[in-house]
Structure formats: structure tokens, C-alpha cells
Amino acid sequence: MNSRTQLDTDEATRRRMSRQRSRNTAVEVDLRRALHRMGLRYRIHRRPLPGVRREADIVFGPTKVAVFVDGCFWHGCPQHATWPKSNDQFWREKIEGNQRRDRDTDRRLRQAGWTPVRIWEHEDPTEAAEHIQGTVMARRTTNSEPSETTVSASD
């Protein structure tokens, strides 16, 4: 199946899915507020790498830290992801494709000297912000290279 395949869904499902926000979700806003209260300043919804059509939710440009807030359903959270019973093949391909793209994005960012940070939507915003603050501060003081693995607040 490719992205042009029509889903076999009823009208109510189609309306509900079309209203899903991809930007400025409540989780993102809560995280940004927590970061702002900590005195951190950042850009939102930016492409950290020129020529790569991948947008980070929060970007700390000078320290090269890119934060992604991943939805449990859309990115296949190991704790909360569910596989839909309807259109199961389509959704499996979609979610697994998102996971492959996320890994590729992280790899590209690390190769370019960035540290990718992935936050799951279910994580506590204050704890996630503290983790991000630690990552940003470490990059500020040492101007270090990114870690080999993607940083996640739940690690």
C-alpha cells in the first residue's frame, strides 16, 4: 500500500482523524511552557537541517538540540501504542514508516552535529523539560558532539 491508498473508513472516523493536530498540541504547549519557565529560549517548528524536509517541534539552534514530541499512536510507543483492527495493514505500514523516518532523522541530525531528543506524549512535561534543559546546558558548556544514541527523557 502507498500513501495514496484510500482508507476504508466511515465518515465519523474520517472527520475525527482529519482534526488531529500535528502542531501546537497540548503536550507541546505544556512542554514549551515548562522550558520557558526554566529560562530556556528556543524556536518552534523549524527544520534544523537545510534541504531536509523534517521539522523539529522545538529547536535550540546555538547548541544544536532538536526536540521531537512523538505521539504514542503515530510513532508506535512501546508502552501505549495500539494497532488498529480496521485497515490494520495500512496503519502498520504507516506507523512503521514513521518509525523508520524518525530513525533516519536522528541519524542525519547526529551526522550534522545535532543531538536529537525524543519525548513521548505521555511523559510528564516538567520531567521532560528538565531532561531537555540538562541536554542543552551540557551542549552549552562543553560544545560537545552529540551522543551516539538518541536522547529520550524516559531513558
Side-chain angles (χ1 to χ4, degrees):
M1 231 182 246
N2 64 36
S3 61
R4 291 188 177 140
T5 302
Q6 184 71 13
L7 280 176
D8 181 25
T9 58
D10 60 30
E11 188 57 34
T13 301
R14 198 174 351 273
R15 274 196 314 272
R16 186 175 66 249
M17 295 305 276
S18 71
R19 288 192 307 260
Q20 292 292 315
R21 299 188 89 173
S22 61
R23 293 174 143 210
N24 301 317
T25 63
V27 176
E28 280 182 43
V29 171
D30 289 346
L31 178 60
R32 292 192 319 236
R33 284 182 181 142
L35 291 167
H36 196 270
R37 279 193 304 271
M38 294 174 170
L40 295 174
R41 299 302 178 257
Y42 45 82
R43 303 280 185 196
I44 61 172
H45 305 294
R46 297 290 171 113
R47 294 179 182 170
L49 301 176
V52 180
R53 293 186 57 199
R54 312 264 171 90
E55 190 176 275
D57 297 308
I58 302 169
V59 176
F60 297 91
T63 55
K64 292 189 171 185
V65 175
V67 179
F68 300 86
V69 181
D70 293 338
C72 290
F73 174 77
W74 298 104
H75 295 267
C77 170
Q79 287 182 304
H80 301 107
T82 57
W83 295 105
K85 291 173 181 60
S86 180
N87 299 303
D88 60 325
Q89 186 63 31
F90 171 85
W91 287 113
R92 183 166 294 278
E93 289 178 15
K94 171 69 175 154
I95 293 165
E96 288 174 349
N98 289 347
Q99 292 170 329
R100 282 190 301 277
R101 186 187 65 238
D102 293 345
R103 287 190 300 271
D104 181 63
T105 299
D106 293 348
R107 180 188 56 77
R108 289 173 182 241
L109 286 167
R110 284 192 301 274
Q111 287 176 342
W114 286 75
T115 296
V117 178
R118 293 209 172 258
I119 305 297
W120 288 109
E121 70 177 334
H122 67 264
E123 293 184 57
D124 177 81
T126 302
E127 290 177 15
E130 289 169 356
H131 176 74
I132 294 166
Q133 179 186 39
T135 302
V136 169
M137 299 312 279
R139 295 280 301 206
R140 277 185 189 166
T141 58
T142 63
N143 203 4
S144 64
E145 289 299 311
S147 60
E148 284 300 311
T149 58
T150 300
V151 180
S152 173
S154 61
D155 289 344

